[in-house]
Amino acid sequence: MSEPKAILVIGAGDATGGAIARRFAREGYIACVTRRSGDKLEPLLQRIRDDGGQAHGFGSDARKEEEMISLVGKIEREIAPIEVAVFNIGANVRFDIAETTARVYFKVWEMACFSGFLMGREVAKAMLPRGRGTILFTGATASLRGREGFAAFAGAKHALRALAQSMARELWPKGIHVAHPVIDGAIDTEFIRSNFPTRYALKERQGILSPDSIADAYWQLHQQPRDAWTFETELRPWIEGW
Amino acid sequence: MSEPKAILVIGAGDATGGAIARRFAREGYIACVTRRSGDKLEPLLQRIRDDGGQAHGFGSDARKEEEMISLVGKIEREIAPIEVAVFNIGANVRFDIAETTARVYFKVWEMACFSGFLMGREVAKAMLPRGRGTILFTGATASLRGREGFAAFAGAKHALRALAQSMARELWPKGIHVAHPVIDGAIDTEFIRSNFPTRYALKERQGILSPDSIADAYWQLHQQPRDAWTFETELRPWIEGW
Amino acid sequence: MSEPKAILVIGAGDATGGAIARRFAREGYIACVTRRSGDKLEPLLQRIRDDGGQAHGFGSDARKEEEMISLVGKIEREIAPIEVAVFNIGANVRFDIAETTARVYFKVWEMACFSGFLMGREVAKAMLPRGRGTILFTGATASLRGREGFAAFAGAKHALRALAQSMARELWPKGIHVAHPVIDGAIDTEFIRSNFPTRYALKERQGILSPDSIADAYWQLHQQPRDAWTFETELRPWIEGW
Amino acid sequence: MSEPKAILVIGAGDATGGAIARRFAREGYIACVTRRSGDKLEPLLQRIRDDGGQAHGFGSDARKEEEMISLVGKIEREIAPIEVAVFNIGANVRFDIAETTARVYFKVWEMACFSGFLMGREVAKAMLPRGRGTILFTGATASLRGREGFAAFAGAKHALRALAQSMARELWPKGIHVAHPVIDGAIDTEFIRSNFPTRYALKERQGILSPDSIADAYWQLHQQPRDAWTFETELRPWIEGW
């Protein structure tokens, strides 16, 4: 890679966002990773640097328009053109409809969808003049089905998918590859380990998704030649029911 | 109908909401109709009363939690139990992604989705103790596809569909029929007449949807016996491409 | 109804086909019903006549092109124009893939799909010059999902859905209403009573579909004005999981 | 690769099947390719060998159960275990419904679906005792939508998708990766070059799918670790409408 290129990962607080950042850093991309409290990004930044990569961490609230504009502008001006952007914020909560407060319903949408819109729009603006780039929105089972108790989460994920689809139809013919990989299963995270030990035990049989496997799939999406682009694909452990 | 029963139509500002209210009023339901400026409801209320029906109009901002809570409470206490609730607010706008402001993106979601959540939750709370009721969310083509330029509108409609689906899975087994009819085509409205005259000319051949036909379909959904309920159905003119 | 009109029901051997024939006969349609052994149709014909309707039974193998051509021709010439045609043959079998014989795979497709193609094409030919008519193909859960063990059945039902969709796109603009109602749940039939008694016990709570409810839905589809036609809809008991 | 492994490509008559065979041969797989007239396979076999790969050609009618059984048995016994099987036979024809003969309807299904069932079942039987393997069924736009004029083709492709889905649900937990990549656009073939020159001209802008790009995607599917398998994905040129 002759020219420096950046990957922006919004929501690198979890295992998946981190693995994606590391994967692209390994290929020479400058990893620009964000989460709400930037200091928690240190271990990830260190790990990327230990592997010989370049990384920058940003404490940034993805729900704030000004912060997103400023973040994208700063990276573009001071670090490198954003060649790849990944939106990876989830907000999986479960409530009966009568127990779903307006605050929760709004917050889930704001985090898991509105932030994605802000990122998508800002990086699209930066990529359009270059006629090149990849924008990946992480989907989930709830992107496709509204299960009982998931009115808020499924609403946000459905809306994010609509955003991705609408952007893909507009931006593909302008050279920007927008895609929506759907992660359909539990991921190997601290959250699953602590809260769903039985599920986590499936890890021994490769029954939960490894963040590294997800990162490989994201890398492949970015590598696709433009005569054969994927908009939607799905990743699911072999023993997962669907 | 021995006991008085009410139908609540949120968004009776357009032809469709009005036709639904009139249809149910004709069957003996007390029509409770809302739009932001209540005084614009007068012609509709008058027409229902002229046909021998009962009607109440409410100026109410469906996006405000307190107003929705107060509206549903007032109808339940002072008028009649809400047997049917219809959410019928749209917000169809088209913008390229780079031109979509955060304000527009939020406003469209707030009107076309968040309001639906507020209505759905409040009427569900009222219906649950009775173990009976019908909740209908009006869908559109954009509920199923994110077309170019419709990131905001398709996002709101996708999220509304997820809400309806999630509520249906939770509330059907509790006796409440939640459904999501998808209107896939232009409706015979003043808006279409003024802005899309060529399209409107199809009316002569029944090429655009009549609000009365939509109202009949909503009535049929409400009449379904619980051994054969529909969640999703679609209405489309015979000459519409799809 | 001034002019005599016929409804053709292919596969009136089960409760659903019979209920549909009776429903339309009650509205004045001449019921033309088929199954492989025509003599088994006697009770149905008698019941329709007892209710004051007209009915004709035909022993006919729907998989044979000549028989289908001859059947449709005979009804059109000797009885009345076919205004409505309903394809209602299923063939629900379950086998692991390794146990699915080529014979079974072919037979299931031949019965549940190829017969539907023959009926659809022949009635379309009769209806096209009149620019009017309704063609209904009965769908099932397997029309939309290929569950484990249902490679043959889901294959046939998926193909039947594709047929219905393709015909709808071609024939709607020519005045012929093709639709695909999806029955998603157990139906109140002798088969369910004998083989799934626990399921059948749900009948007391309206937990399985009544053939009469299905017949009402088919009647409503046929009655739709052409400005608001439905292609796909679904019928499911209130307590059914999905 | 220590042990010899075979890839079976049913329908290597076109550019895509050939490119897939070459791709896997390059990775060390012994390419076993079929088409109805085996002698037409010579150029492909020669090209693979010139590239240093191993290849075997078989003239085999995929619609004949005995031929499929014999083919799979022969490869397994005499060449190598079939590690990957690809079903790649299409039969894209367009007819109005009234012009679709029973013969065409059957033939299209037999070629594009029934052959796939035979291949799928036979290779599954061989793979099951090993608890390992990849089976790929090539999908198309018509796998998901029944367009006007494509009752036969869409029927076959829908049924093939149902087969793939049903097999995936059964065989994934037994270690066999079944997937259904959907090719949504024109492919760079002699057929497109001769019949759709305007379309073909898009090749200069990478506006039609390259068989090599498809082959890369198939290779990646086969390489996926089992904690993150894909069932359905889609490949589409960047300027394709959808």
Side-chain angles (χ1 to χ4, degrees), chain C residues 191-207:
Chain C
F191 175 77
I192 297 291
R193 179 154 66 172
S194 311
N195 294 281
F196 301 94
T198 314
R199 194 96 195 245
Y200 195 76
L202 297 176
K203 184 180 173 180
E204 284 174 35
R205 304 172 58 206
Q206 295 179 272

Side-chain angles (χ1 to χ4, degrees), chain A residues 165 168-169 172-173 175 205-206 208-210 213 220 224-238 242, chain D residues 165 168-169 172-173 175 205-206 208-210 213 220 224-238 242:
Chain A
Q165 223 181 73
R169 289 198 168 95
W172 277 29
R205 304 171 56 206
Q206 294 179 274
I208 59 176
L209 289 133
S210 148
S213 300
Q220 286 172 358
Q224 290 183 320
R226 66 184 189 176
D227 66 284
W229 275 356
T230 293
F231 171 66
E232 200 152 82
T233 188
E234 56 194 7
L235 297 173
R236 187 184 290 126
W238 64 305
W242 51 290
Chain D
Q165 225 181 73
R169 288 199 169 95
W172 277 30
R205 303 171 58 207
Q206 294 179 274
I208 59 176
L209 289 134
S210 148
S213 300
Q220 286 172 359
Q224 289 183 321
R226 66 184 189 177
D227 67 283
W229 275 355
T230 294
F231 170 67
E232 200 152 82
T233 189
E234 57 195 7
L235 297 173
R236 187 184 289 127
W238 65 304
W242 51 290

Side-chain angles (χ1 to χ4, degrees), chain D residues 121-241:
Chain D
R121 188 191 65 187
E122 289 310 303
V123 299
K125 282 190 204 166
M127 290 172 177
L128 274 166
R130 296 193 285 264
R132 202 180 67 232
T134 299
I135 306 176
L136 304 175
F137 294 96
T138 300
T141 319
S143 306
L144 303 170
R145 282 166 57 93
R147 295 219 175 114
E148 181 183 344
F150 292 98
F153 183 56
K157 295 302 280 188
H158 272 63
L160 187 73
R161 183 178 181 240
L163 170 78
Q165 225 181 73
S166 178
M167 287 181 62
R169 288 199 169 95
E170 178 182 340
L171 301 178
W172 277 30
K174 294 175 177 166
I176 299 169
H177 185 186
V178 182
H180 183 251
V182 175
I183 314 301
D184 185 21
I187 303 176
D188 177 0
T189 57
E190 187 49 45
F191 175 78
I192 297 291
R193 179 155 66 173
S194 311
N195 294 282
F196 301 94
T198 315
R199 194 94 195 249
Y200 195 77
L202 297 176
K203 184 180 173 179
E204 284 175 34
R205 303 171 58 207
Q206 294 179 274
I208 59 176
L209 289 134
S210 148
D212 288 335
S213 300
I214 297 172
D216 280 342
Y218 279 50
W219 173 250
Q220 286 172 359
L221 282 170
H222 174 55
Q223 290 294 102
Q224 289 183 321
R226 66 184 189 177
D227 67 283
W229 275 355
T230 294
F231 170 67
E232 200 152 82
T233 189
E234 57 195 7
L235 297 173
R236 187 184 289 127
W238 65 304
I239 53 173
E240 184 82 24

Side-chain angles (χ1 to χ4, degrees), chain D residues 43-197:
Chain D
L44 173 60
L45 299 176
Q46 198 53 53
R47 189 163 169 194
I48 292 173
R49 288 167 193 149
D50 289 349
D51 291 347
Q54 298 179 65
H56 299 263
F58 300 87
S60 175
D61 188 336
R63 301 167 302 178
K64 304 296 178 212
E65 187 174 20
E66 296 71 28
E67 293 196 30
M68 185 65 77
I69 291 172
S70 147
L71 172 73
V72 170
K74 189 180 174 69
I75 296 169
E76 287 272 327
R77 276 191 318 273
E78 302 178 12
I79 299 179
I82 298 171
E83 187 72 15
V84 185
V86 176
F87 181 73
N88 191 51
I89 300 180
N92 198 338
V93 294
R94 201 210 165 285
F95 291 103
D96 284 353
I97 189 68
E99 308 302 322
T100 307
T101 64
R103 189 174 174 281
V104 157
Y105 193 79
F106 170 74
K107 287 282 173 198
V108 167
W109 172 81
E110 194 189 26
M111 280 174 63
C113 175
F114 182 68
S115 303
F117 158 71
L118 292 176
M119 182 203 85
R121 188 191 65 187
E122 289 310 303
V123 299
K125 282 190 204 166
M127 290 172 177
L128 274 166
R130 296 193 285 264
R132 202 180 67 232
T134 299
I135 306 176
L136 304 175
F137 294 96
T138 300
T141 319
S143 306
L144 303 170
R145 282 166 57 93
R147 295 219 175 114
E148 181 183 344
F150 292 98
F153 183 56
K157 295 302 280 188
H158 272 63
L160 187 73
R161 183 178 181 240
L163 170 78
Q165 225 181 73
S166 178
M167 287 181 62
R169 288 199 169 95
E170 178 182 340
L171 301 178
W172 277 30
K174 294 175 177 166
I176 299 169
H177 185 186
V178 182
H180 183 251
V182 175
I183 314 301
D184 185 21
I187 303 176
D188 177 0
T189 57
E190 187 49 45
F191 175 78
I192 297 291
R193 179 155 66 173
S194 311
N195 294 282
F196 301 94

Side-chain angles (χ1 to χ4, degrees), chain B residues 95-223:
Chain B
F95 290 103
D96 282 354
I97 189 66
E99 307 303 322
T100 307
T101 64
R103 190 175 173 280
V104 157
Y105 193 79
F106 170 73
K107 287 281 174 198
V108 168
W109 172 82
E110 194 189 26
M111 281 174 63
C113 174
F114 182 68
S115 302
F117 158 72
L118 292 176
M119 183 203 84
R121 188 191 64 187
E122 288 310 304
V123 299
K125 282 190 205 165
M127 291 173 176
L128 274 166
R130 297 193 286 265
R132 202 180 66 233
T134 300
I135 306 175
L136 304 175
F137 295 96
T138 301
T141 319
S143 306
L144 303 170
R145 282 166 57 92
R147 295 219 175 115
E148 182 184 344
F150 292 99
F153 183 55
K157 296 303 280 187
H158 273 63
L160 188 72
R161 183 178 182 238
L163 171 77
Q165 224 181 73
S166 179
M167 287 181 63
R169 290 198 167 95
E170 178 182 340
L171 301 178
W172 278 28
K174 295 175 177 167
I176 300 169
H177 185 185
V178 182
H180 184 251
V182 175
I183 315 300
D184 186 20
I187 304 176
D188 177 0
T189 57
E190 187 49 46
F191 176 78
I192 297 292
R193 179 155 64 172
S194 311
N195 294 282
F196 302 94
T198 315
R199 194 95 195 248
Y200 195 76
L202 297 176
K203 184 181 174 179
E204 285 175 34
R205 304 171 58 207
Q206 295 178 274
I208 59 176
L209 288 133
S210 149
D212 288 336
S213 301
I214 297 173
D216 280 341
Y218 279 50
W219 173 251
Q220 286 172 359
L221 282 170
H222 174 54
Q223 290 295 102

